[in-house]
Amino acid sequence: MSYRNRTAALASAAALAGSAVLMAAPVARAEVVDVNYQCKTPIGDKSAVSPIDIKGARSGDGYRITMSWQKGVSSSPVELGKGAMTPSATIALGGADGGTMTVTGPANDAAIPANTPIKINDLSGAYTPKKSGEVTFTAGVLTIKALGTTTTCTPTNDPGPSLTLDVTAASGGGATGSTQGGGSGAGSGAELPQTGPEDSAVALGTLGGTVLLAGAAGALWLTRRHQGARARH
C-alpha cells in the first residue's frame, strides 16, 4: 500500500473509532420534578411540595440509585433529637422494567426543631435490571419513622420520572435485594456519568478526541518515516 493510501486509511480508522465510541454512549436523562406529598401523620394530615432529584451511577452488575429532596416535608410538633428520625422511600420503575425499588438513608444527624419542615437526607439503594432498555425512575411513597411513630407521604400529582437510564441487564437476568417487581442488588465498580447527557458527552468526547489524536500522531509518524526514507535514497 502506498504512503498516501496508508495515511488515508489510518485517518479513516481513527475517525470511525471515535464515532463508534460516541454511538455507544449510555442514555441518561434527568430532571428535577416537583412532587406534591400528602402525608398521614400521628397528628393529622399534612401536605408539602418538594423538588425531587434522582441520580444513577453504574455499580458492578447494576446501578446505585440516589434520591434527593430539595425541600423539607411534613413536620413534628416536638423536637426530634439527633438520630430520632429514619427515612426510607420507594421509587416506581417503568419502561423496560417494572415494580418498585426501595431507597434508604441514615437517621438525622442534627436535631430538628418542632414545627419545622423535616429535611430528608439523600436516600440510596442498589438496582440490578432484569431487562435491557430504557428504565424510568419516579418518586414513590416516603416513610418517616420517629419516636415510635410512622408517617407516610404519598405523591398525589402523578409526577413524571426524575431519571431515565438506558440499562443493560446483568448476566443471568436475576433480581435481588430491595427491588420489588424490578431488580436490585449490591455491587461495586466504576461509576457511569451520573444523570445528565452533558457528563456523558464530555467523558466520551474526550475519549473520542484521544482516539483521533492517536490516529493523527500515527499519520505524522508515517509521514516523517516516508520523508526520511526518501532522503536516504
Side-chain angles (χ1 to χ4, degrees):
M1 181 183 293
S2 69
Y3 154 70
R4 288 184 177 179
N5 288 340
R6 285 198 303 270
T7 303
L10 182 58
S12 297
L16 288 172
S19 299
V21 169
L22 292 175
M23 290 175 63
V27 175
R29 298 192 300 274
E31 62 178 308
V32 177
V33 176
D34 287 339
V35 178
N36 185 357
Y37 284 105
Q38 294 294 322
C39 301
K40 299 289 186 181
T41 80
I43 59 172
D45 294 350
K46 295 180 178 293
S47 64
V49 176
S50 179
I52 300 296
D53 180 31
I54 300 178
K55 295 182 174 68
R58 191 64 188 258
S59 179
D61 287 338
Y63 300 81
R64 192 72 180 171
I65 304 299
T66 301
M67 187 176 186
S68 303
W69 280 257
Q70 295 188 4
K71 291 183 179 179
V73 298
S74 191
S75 62
S76 171
V78 298
E79 180 179 281
L80 299 178
K82 179 180 179 180
M85 183 272 295
T86 303
S88 63
T90 61
I91 296 175
L93 307 175
D97 211 339
T100 60
M101 66 169 291
T102 299
V103 288
T104 59
N108 57 305
D109 55 7
I112 302 173
N115 301 312
T116 300
I118 296 173
K119 178 66 171 70
I120 307 299
N121 290 327
D122 288 356
L123 307 182
S124 62
Y127 165 66
T128 302
K130 294 186 300 182
K131 299 179 180 179
S132 298
E134 285 195 354
V135 176
T136 60
F137 298 78
T138 304
V141 177
L142 168 67
T143 301
I144 301 172
K145 294 186 176 182
L147 303 178
T149 68
T150 299
T151 294
T152 57
C153 300
T154 304
T156 59
N157 61 331
D158 192 23
S162 294
L163 174 66
T164 300
L165 280 180
D166 191 352
V167 304
T168 301
S171 56
T176 60
S178 60
T179 302
Q180 302 172 358
S184 71
S188 60
E191 290 189 350
L192 282 178
Q194 291 213 331
T195 56
E198 295 84 2
D199 291 338
S200 299
V202 170
L204 292 165
T206 301
L207 181 56
T210 301
V211 172
L212 292 174
L213 286 175
L220 180 61
W221 179 81
L222 285 175
T223 301
R224 290 179 175 175
R225 183 180 179 187
H226 181 72
Q227 290 175 345
R230 287 193 303 174
R232 286 193 298 270
H233 291 295

